[in-house]
Amino acid sequence: MSLIPSVFGGRRSNIFDPFSLDVWDPFEGFGFPSALASVPSSARDTTAFAGTRIDWKETPEAHVFKADLPGLKKEEVKVEVEEGRVLQISGERSREQDEKNNKWHRVERSSGKFLRRFRLPENAKMDHIRANMENGVLTVTVPKEEEKKPEVKSIDISG
């Protein structure tokens, strides 16, 4: 069941999809200049996963990032460290190539680019970062430096 009727230009939109870039233009088809005319139709009709959700947990040994990236190969994902302490995770899922004689009934799978950045804390070991992709889940592990315990020096009291 479509949540937005086909009266509105036949858009396939889901109001519950937080990543939807689908924008309804109320003046489309009426011959009025549109505010969306400068936006390419691919940007209006595609759903990007720009807001890819990533979990970040801190364990006693490391900071662990997990991202669900179903359908992506590890070659389509980049994990980089920039400006010293910024972890950047990015990638792109291309739209499926379509033959002109196909008729789509529903398009719900996401496509597009995503980019997420995380400023890492001072205790992160930047030279020991590991990334692993298994079953569509990217796991990035950033080991932590051991916490230095402050030295306590006893002072003798004279007198």
Side-chain angles (χ1 to χ4, degrees), residues 7 32 38 45 75 80-81 84 124 126 141 146 154:
V7 173
F32 298 119
S38 62
D45 296 337
E75 295 82 16
E80 302 169 313
V81 177
M126 304 307 292
T141 305
E146 290 184 28
S154 293

Side-chain angles (χ1 to χ4, degrees), residues 20-148:
S20 178
L21 292 180
D22 194 15
V23 179
W24 173 59
D25 182 4
F27 300 108
E28 183 177 14
F30 288 106
F32 298 119
S34 171
L36 298 173
S38 62
V39 178
S41 64
S42 61
R44 292 190 310 256
D45 296 337
T46 347
T47 302
F49 59 125
T52 296
R53 305 213 187 262
I54 298 178
D55 296 337
W56 176 1
K57 73 176 176 182
E58 183 176 355
T59 68
E61 299 82 29
H63 297 275
V64 181
F65 298 83
K66 287 195 175 204
D68 291 336
L69 303 172
L72 287 183
K73 300 177 186 126
K74 67 180 184 176
E75 295 82 16
E76 298 171 318
V77 178
K78 285 184 183 178
V79 177
E80 302 169 313
V81 177
E82 62 179 30
E83 299 174 15
R85 294 206 164 282
V86 178
L87 175 68
Q88 178 173 295
I89 302 171
S90 61
E92 180 174 8
R93 178 180 296 135
S94 301
R95 288 181 65 173
E96 192 172 306
Q97 294 300 321
D98 187 22
E99 295 179 24
K100 295 295 180 193
N101 57 352
N102 290 341
K103 179 181 177 184
W104 288 89
H105 293 277
R106 200 164 209 40
V107 178
E108 294 182 345
R109 293 185 307 145
S110 301
S111 64
K113 295 180 181 183
F114 72 92
L115 172 76
R116 297 292 307 273
R117 288 188 174 114
F118 302 92
R119 181 160 309 278
L120 297 172
E122 293 294 322
N123 66 352
K125 287 185 179 179
M126 304 307 292
D127 296 333
H128 296 88
I129 297 175
R130 299 181 318 271
N132 180 42
M133 184 113 163
E134 188 174 327
N135 296 327
V137 178
L138 173 69
T139 303
V140 179
T141 305
V142 182
K144 292 170 34 178
E145 293 179 9
E146 290 184 28
E147 198 172 306
K148 296 178 183 175

